Amino acid sequence: MSHLPLAGKTGVIFGVANKRSIAWAIAQAWHQAGAKLIFNYQGERVKENVEELAGTFGSDTPIYPCDVGSDEQIAAFFAEVAKRTDRLDLLLHSVAFAPREALTGQFVNTTRQAFATAHDISAYSLVGLTRAALPFMEQNGGSVIAMSYLGAVRVVPHYNVMGVAKAALEASVRYLASDLGTKKIRVNAISAGPMNTLAARGIGGFTEMLKHYEAHAPLRRNVEMAELGATGLFLASDGAAAITGQTLYVDSGFSSMAM
Ligand code: NAD
Ligand code: 0WE
């Protein structure tokens, strides 16, 4: 008998782009806890990165392509998963996208197309992926985790349509938790403080934002990647067996401050 909290469990990870990805931090925590993992990669641009990272967990760690904007690619991904396992216990959704021009200037200028894309890739995809994973999860139960940000519930300048999409993501977490509770499938979100990843790179004023958290968050520091890993592990483990439909803030306490 193993003492590892996720021994015997299998998980799928959506959203590794490189070693700085939040998805990679949670994948490492799940792997060290004894889980077997399967990764997506968005396209040929990141395939090599994901191949190399997944390979550090053993050369037989599967990686399959999946652009979450395509129903066909989601179906094809889970068809590949079915060749490897008939059971999944864990699903991580760590994916977001809005057209770059929607993340500058005023929200009022958001186009119909940018609004649709942001919601499709960043919020609907959680519903589509969870539904596709359901046949693998409903026998034994499971844990689904999505990544969110404070811009879902407060105005963060320039986060714009991504904030509205994260609000939809957090509401989707609650509706999915309600649907799937009887199957012992829990669905939660982690709302992380700002992290220096590819998705944050090139966001105007991002360095100032990290400094603002350092100056004003109760803990007077930014969040470490390993701390998101530890929370991802907690939500996936039996210690969180009665937690579902929640958004858990891992943000050095920043969200509880008004001034
Ligand atoms: P990242 O760039 O490493 O990860 C984003 C991932 O989304 C990439 O792997 C990318 O390939 C994937 N992606 C985008 N469009 C996709 C598509 N159409 N199909 C499949 N995959 C697609 O950046 P990250 O910061 O690790 O972001 C991961 C999650 O964490 C996102 O949901 C993000 O909103 C959230 N988040 C980030 C921060 C931050 O400050 N970095 C804070 C809170 C929440
Ligand atoms: O969720 C995010 C960012 C997600 C994201 C990033 C990009 C950059 C490249 C979505 N779409 C795109 N599109 C691109 O073309 N975060 C929580 C990080 C982030 O982004 C911000 C932030 C923070 C924090 C944008 C403006 C203000 C703050």
Side-chain angles (χ1 to χ4, degrees):
M1 205 190 98
S2 170
H3 64 281
L4 292 173
L6 300 184
K9 310 249 186 216
T10 302
V12 288
I13 304 268
F14 286 87
V16 175
N18 59 37
K19 65 175 198 275
R20 300 172 100 154
S21 294
I22 293 170
W24 180 238
I26 294 175
Q28 285 175 286
W30 284 3
H31 169 77
Q32 279 157 26
K36 286 193 159 53
L37 298 177
I38 300 171
F39 293 84
N40 94 311
Y41 61 93
Q42 186 188 351
E44 295 303 314
R45 274 181 309 114
V46 294
K47 179 177 183 179
E48 261 187 49
N49 281 343
V50 178
E51 214 160 43
E52 187 182 330
L53 291 167
T56 65
F57 294 167
S59 53
D60 66 333
T61 307
I63 71 162
Y64 305 122
C66 185
D67 184 316
V68 302
S70 157
D71 287 342
E72 292 72 26
Q73 289 193 33
I74 292 174
F77 177 91
F78 282 93
E80 292 298 326
V81 169
K83 296 178 188 168
R84 304 283 299 220
T85 181
D86 56 7
R87 171 181 166 165
L88 290 174
D89 305 280
L90 315 166
L91 169 65
L92 177 67
H93 177 285
S94 186
V95 170
F97 181 78
R100 181 170 283 284
E101 58 274 18
L103 300 177
T104 56
Q106 290 196 308
F107 174 69
V108 71
N109 292 322
T110 307
T111 63
R112 186 185 298 275
Q113 186 56 54
F115 192 101
T117 298
H119 282 71
D120 184 25
I121 303 304
S122 313
Y124 174 74
S125 61
L126 177 69
V127 183
L129 292 178
T130 301
R131 187 171 59 250
L134 210 48
F136 300 84
M137 266 193 189
E138 55 195 348
Q139 266 9 288
N140 303 284
S143 176
V144 176
I145 300 175
M147 295 307 306
S148 194
Y149 176 62
L150 185 59
V153 295
R154 310 267 192 75
V155 173
V156 174
H158 305 311
Y159 198 60
N160 295 359
V161 72
M162 268 310 308
V164 182
K166 289 300 191 189
L169 179 75
E170 291 181 9
S172 300
V173 161
R174 291 187 286 273
Y175 278 91
L176 290 169
S178 170
D179 280 354
L180 306 181
T182 54
K183 294 174 167 147
K184 288 198 196 167
I185 298 170
R186 299 180 296 101
V187 187
N188 293 289
I190 297 172
S191 185
M195 307 298 292
N196 197 0
T197 65
L198 189 62
R201 194 109 24 96
I203 300 296
F206 188 76
T207 308
E208 288 65 38
M209 230 168 97
L210 290 174
K211 285 191 191 133
H212 186 81
Y213 270 68
E214 261 181 47
H216 298 286
L219 297 179
R220 298 290 192 277
R221 64 173 179 83
N222 283 292
V223 176
E224 291 171 19
M225 275 292 174
E227 295 171 328
L228 297 181
T231 303
L233 173 55
F234 167 65
L235 284 175
S237 64
D238 288 344
I243 300 178
T244 195
Q246 301 302 309
T247 298
L248 190 47
Y249 284 79
V250 181
D251 67 345
S252 305
F254 183 84
S255 56
S256 47
M257 305 299 289
M259 297 273 280

